[in-house]
Amino acid sequence: MTEEKRYQIALSLVPKIGPVLSKQLINYFGSAETIFKTTKGKLSKVPGLGEKLASALSNQTTIFEATDKVIADSEKRQIAIHFYKDASYPKRLLRVNDAPIILYSKGNTQLNAEKTIGIVGTRKATQYGSHCTEQIVADAKASDVTIVSGLAYGIDVKAHRAALQNDLPTLGVLACGLDHVYPTAHKNTAFDMQQNGGLVSEYPVGTKADARFFPARNRIIAALSDALIVVEAAKKGGALISANIAHSYDKAVFAVPGELGKTYSEGCNQLIQSLKARIYTCFNDVIEELNWDLQEESKARDLKKQLAELEGQELKVVEILLENNKELAIDDLSWQSQIPLSQLASVLLQLEFKGLVKPFPGKKYRLC
């Protein structure tokens, strides 16, 4: 933990100074440390700051006591802390003006996954909605996407659980600190998610879930998703908020059409009618909208070219992974390729360097 990172975390904890103003201050002063080392008199003259906020920044004893507690508690709980200028910070979030300057994550998180899909919906999912969610995720498996949702009751948690069942990474965006899981009934699911995906939040440890935080949480779900799919929703609620935010971000929004007259079909049908969402009929709708089919064709051409340059053990390993078209444990790879484990580890590392193979938890590997 560098001293500058400590100042960055401290800035995010100052009351009444949100992400937009925080970024303006960092651009103005050059670093978070400089902000805190500037006198109150000079701070009060900064455009948009004023005397009250300058006083808040000057109350450094309280701020840094809270900061050091957040750092210590995060380290204790293995929570990673990402500043908005760090390479690990989600690039998709950088496109949002009010994205948090600090993001917390826990688990085996890949915050810059190649493909992401958000799935949201009512907390009172019907059998139809549950089935649709499971089918969407199962169909998404072939595209190797990361599933993003909010770990709430109903559609959200069904999306996360379906991702786990299909060995897809899944990210849960929480409206509380990552030392808590809300709702607590989903604690076991949250734990399982950390093996392949994980949890993210803009709120530091010690922050309990609050109704005010959920709309803010929804903007992060929308921002992290290449496309957002609403499965079931009433006329009002969190799913509609997420959809409207995603639409304002120029994201692709899809809604699963529902039966006329049903409460939890009204929101989806309204999104389609108002042209804020496209009708979802199958996962190919998403693939075509995001041009993933063209990307896959380009990737296939590149892979063919790279394969022509491989030989020996590297070629054998890639061919086995191509044939299986799924993650394989290093033991299985060793058995199928007849390459000793001691040699195979080195071969896989070289293939990683060449951008051909991607490692997963449990010493599993898959083609990129």
Side-chain angles (χ1 to χ4, degrees), residues 137-326:
V137 177
D139 292 344
K141 183 176 173 62
S143 297
D144 197 22
V145 305
T146 293
I147 303 297
V148 183
S149 197
L151 202 65
Y153 287 110
I155 298 299
D156 286 28
V157 75
K158 289 184 184 299
H160 291 306
R161 288 171 178 164
L164 292 171
Q165 289 166 4
N166 285 278
D167 294 321
L168 284 174
T170 182
L171 287 176
V173 185
L174 302 189
C176 58
L178 298 185
D179 53 328
H180 299 287
V181 170
Y182 182 86
T184 54
H186 299 160
K187 198 171 183 178
N188 290 339
T189 300
F191 177 79
D192 291 340
M193 287 166 63
Q194 292 171 52
Q195 313 310 308
N196 189 15
L199 310 173
V200 295
S201 177
E202 64 182 304
Y203 302 105
V205 291
T207 307
K208 293 186 178 179
D210 188 290
R212 297 170 299 158
F213 300 155
F214 286 94
R217 181 276 304 269
N218 292 344
R219 88 190 190 286
I220 294 181
I221 294 174
L224 289 177
S225 306
D226 293 330
L228 186 77
I229 303 173
V230 184
V231 177
E232 284 187 310
K235 277 187 176 180
K236 294 182 180 180
L240 266 292
I241 292 172
S242 298
N244 283 313
I245 293 172
H247 178 72
S248 73
Y249 290 165
D250 289 326
K251 300 277 186 173
V253 180
F254 291 87
V256 175
E259 186 179 346
L260 296 178
K262 298 293 184 182
T263 300
Y264 297 108
S265 297
E266 289 177 342
C268 289
N269 293 342
Q270 178 182 299
L271 284 170
I272 295 166
Q273 185 184 40
S274 63
L275 303 180
K276 288 184 177 180
R278 300 157 179 80
I279 293 178
Y280 180 93
T281 61
C282 64
F283 199 75
N284 201 51
D285 296 338
V286 178
I287 291 172
E288 290 180 356
E289 178 64 30
L290 297 177
N291 290 322
W292 284 353
D293 48 345
L294 301 179
Q295 292 173 25
E296 290 303 320
E297 287 176 14
S298 176
K299 190 185 289 186
R301 288 194 297 271
D302 290 343
L303 179 60
K304 190 175 180 180
K305 183 179 177 183
Q306 286 176 297
L307 280 174
E309 298 170 357
L310 296 179
E311 57 184 21
Q313 293 179 333
E314 289 185 358
L315 180 59
K316 186 179 288 186
V317 168
V318 170
E319 286 176 340
I320 290 168
L321 289 171
L322 264 174
E323 186 180 337
N324 284 271
N325 194 29
K326 64 178 181 179

Side-chain angles (χ1 to χ4, degrees), residues 31-238:
S31 71
E33 182 176 359
T34 306
I35 296 169
F36 283 102
K37 290 188 175 179
T38 300
T39 64
K40 179 182 173 183
K42 287 184 179 178
L43 285 171
S44 63
K45 294 175 183 176
V46 175
L49 200 56
E51 199 168 320
K52 283 188 178 180
L53 293 180
S55 296
L57 279 164
S58 300
N59 189 15
Q60 295 191 16
T61 301
T62 303
I63 292 169
F64 283 100
E65 281 178 359
T67 300
D68 292 337
K69 187 174 189 324
V70 166
I71 292 170
D73 289 348
S74 295
E75 289 177 348
K76 182 180 176 182
R77 291 172 171 80
Q78 296 182 304
I79 295 169
I81 304 175
H82 312 271
F83 181 57
Y84 79 102
K85 292 190 176 182
D86 293 345
S88 61
Y89 190 92
K91 292 179 177 60
R92 291 174 177 88
L93 259 184
L94 291 176
R95 301 167 193 158
V96 177
N97 188 40
D98 64 344
I101 65 165
I102 293 290
L103 193 71
Y104 301 89
S105 70
K106 187 174 184 182
N108 186 31
T109 53
Q110 170 50 269
L111 300 180
N112 285 300
E114 185 181 355
K115 300 172 184 175
T116 60
I117 292 295
I119 300 177
V120 295
T122 178
R123 293 168 184 257
K124 299 178 180 179
T126 67
Q127 187 175 353
Y128 169 74
S130 299
H131 173 74
C132 285
T133 303
E134 290 166 358
Q135 190 62 55
I136 289 167
V137 177
D139 292 344
K141 183 176 173 62
S143 297
D144 197 22
V145 305
T146 293
I147 303 297
V148 183
S149 197
L151 202 65
Y153 287 110
I155 298 299
D156 286 28
V157 75
K158 289 184 184 299
H160 291 306
R161 288 171 178 164
L164 292 171
Q165 289 166 4
N166 285 278
D167 294 321
L168 284 174
T170 182
L171 287 176
V173 185
L174 302 189
C176 58
L178 298 185
D179 53 328
H180 299 287
V181 170
Y182 182 86
T184 54
H186 299 160
K187 198 171 183 178
N188 290 339
T189 300
F191 177 79
D192 291 340
M193 287 166 63
Q194 292 171 52
Q195 313 310 308
N196 189 15
L199 310 173
V200 295
S201 177
E202 64 182 304
Y203 302 105
V205 291
T207 307
K208 293 186 178 179
D210 188 290
R212 297 170 299 158
F213 300 155
F214 286 94
R217 181 276 304 269
N218 292 344
R219 88 190 190 286
I220 294 181
I221 294 174
L224 289 177
S225 306
D226 293 330
L228 186 77
I229 303 173
V230 184
V231 177
E232 284 187 310
K235 277 187 176 180
K236 294 182 180 180

